[in-house]
Amino acid sequence: MDYCCFMSDLTSRQVAAVAEATATVPTENFAVYGGGWPNEISTALVDAVFSIQAQYRSDTPGKGVFNRLQAFRCEYKSAVDDLTLLVEVGEAAIEAVMGNAKTSSRSKASAVIEAASNFLDIGVRTAEDFRAKNSGELKNAYVPVKGLGWITFEYLSMLLGQPGVKADTMICRFVNVALQQQGLDAVDGATARQLIALTHEQTGLGETLSHFDHGIWLFESDRASV
């Protein structure tokens, strides 16, 4: 749907501000999205949960979500696209590889197991099952899990091949810096997500919305580390 025709004056000004800010993002950023884990639902779920407020990449072996995720995939090859087997792997084994980080005062590993069990209860075992299921039903199985929410649900969907926006700290920061530079008020995560989607539609940068989102995320991550 073309949302541009329905934008309010404020939204138009917000999108213009974000679009102007994307001009500072290197063009090559919008072409490097790796595509997630479209055929590995367990990998995608572990990624989505353990990425919450965490360092994703690290040059130090064994550090960072991505390095640990690769070790997890090697250790449990048979479980990467089977939530039944992921549940059998269990919380302790997941923690042994991914670490004992917490979300909302509970272990991320326990959140993974609970979310996996909820998906199994609605007939979702594989990545193919996930894509075949209604998004609303999937979200209703995921977001009630303590420590999880709509942002990581969208990220999980992206990792499984559905274009979207992960409105995390980096994306929200990029949007709000862009707005503030134009004298506009900061916005919440839901509005930041909408503005990124509208800006992608307007600029056409990136093959998909996920490519666009990732390009901005890389830029803001690099800017934050300086």
Side-chain angles (χ1 to χ4, degrees), residues 219-226:
F219 174 81
E220 192 61 33
S221 297
D222 289 342
R223 184 160 65 176
S225 66
V226 174

Side-chain angles (χ1 to χ4, degrees), residues 141-171:
Y142 183 89
V143 298
V145 177
K146 181 183 177 183
L148 307 185
W150 71 267
I151 292 176
T152 55
F153 173 75
E154 180 142 7
Y155 181 48
L156 172 63
S157 299
M158 291 165 64
L159 291 170
L160 289 168
Q162 300 178 3
V165 175
K166 183 190 179 188
D168 64 359
T169 301
M170 295 302 169
I171 293 298

